Structure formats: structure tokens, C-alpha cells
Amino acid sequence: MLDLKRFRIIDLTREVLPGVLKVNGEYLHGREFRRFELRQFRYSPDGTFMHWIESETHVGTHVEMSAHYVDGGKSASEMPLETFIGEAVVLRFADLKPIDGKGQPIRPFHLKRVKKGEIVLMWSPYKGDEAPYISPLAARSLAEKRIKMLGVENVRVESSLNFLATHDNLLKNDIPIVEGLVNLDQIKGDRVFYIGLPLKVRGLDSSWIRAVALEEIESL
Ligand SMILES: [Zn+2]
């Protein structure tokens, strides 16, 4: 049996803060850039509490699938479950410093440690425009290595310089992309066991997930 005591569990998920419902029926949005609205109601047979949710699918930590980019592409309920579970390599880009406030490209030579068929997690300490971005050639290299999935924190999947190259290379090839990861900097080693499952909703282009990394505690 899997012994959890042998692992550190790192929560890679950003907490979603729903918009606050005001008395006039409008929602006040704080940190969330996109709509995520919860409305509590009482379930009439027994008076228990439930919520209506109104939201976009790309809020918080989410995994997007080919249905996001290709009309009729695979959606959350059609992708094999194994895609979202497995060994992941962690690539850190602290050395890829922004120049004049602009993030720099991640190139194929940065991907040397990536093995065929594994999940790739990319992290940088730079935010917004200063964050590195995936160059078109790097996106193609990830597709050629047939990675299982890409996850990012402070790494731009797209920028004005590589418009849709990552979507084109990955999503078209049924390689999902996880956006909005957090806490990748708490991973100590180069590889972890990653789990981040989408909701099983037919037709969903992208799903909110609870993503975790299991990192083996050495010295055992
Ligand atoms: Zn997204």
C-alpha cells in the first residue's frame, strides 16, 4: 500500500475567492480576474444549504484540454485519467531574468531534462510581463517529446511573440495545459508525483482542479 508518511504533500492549488454578492444582486469581484460567483440557497425538501455556481472554466488552478482550442476536441470527461497523474519533472527558470522588464523565451535547450511521456512543471519567480514565455520551438519540442501534460506557475504559455504556438502544439495533440499552479517553489527535488484531476463533465473545455505533488522524503 502507498505509505503517505514517506511523502510530503504539497498543495499546488490556488484558493478561489468567489465574488461577493451585494444586496443589490451584483457581485463584487476582488482578486479573481474572471467571474466566479456562488449563490447559496436552501434545498426545499430538507432545508439544507447548497450553491449555484456561475463561472468561467479558466479560473484559479485549471487544466485545459483540446476542447479549449479545437472545435470538437477532447473534453474533460473524454481524456484518459492517467494523463493527469504521474511522474513530473520540475523546471525552474530563476536564471531566465527579464531584460528591460520583458520576460525571456524558454528555448528547446532548456528542456534537456524532459523525458518522453512525463508531466512537465515549469516555474519562475517573475510575474506578469516579466515572466518567461514558451518559445514556439520549445512548444514544438514538448510536443515531439510527447509529454503527458504541461503545468505552469509564472511562466507564460502564450505571449504576443508566440501567439497560440503552445496551444497549437500541445492542445491539438491532446496534451493538456495546467494554468494557475502555486507553490511549485516548495518542491525541493527535480521530480515529484503529480495528481490534478479534472471534473468529469461532458463537453467541458477546461476544469478547476485540486493539484498536488507528492515528494518522496529522502533519508528513509
Ligand atoms: Zn486557461
Side-chain angles (χ1 to χ4, degrees), residues 58 62 64 179:
H58 297 244
H62 61 277
E64 48 199 63
E179 293 178 339

Side-chain angles (χ1 to χ4, degrees), residues 31-66:
R31 190 178 70 179
E32 297 306 331
F33 162 67
R34 292 185 164 133
R35 287 177 68 183
F36 195 103
E37 294 168 0
L38 280 186
R39 185 160 54 84
Q40 192 188 51
F41 68 97
R42 282 200 115 123
Y43 180 62
S44 58
D46 58 9
T48 51
F49 295 106
M50 291 195 192
H51 289 95
W52 284 102
I53 298 180
E54 191 161 326
S55 178
E56 296 177 30
T57 44
H58 297 244
V59 174
T61 310
H62 61 277
V63 60
E64 48 199 63
M65 285 142 285
S66 61

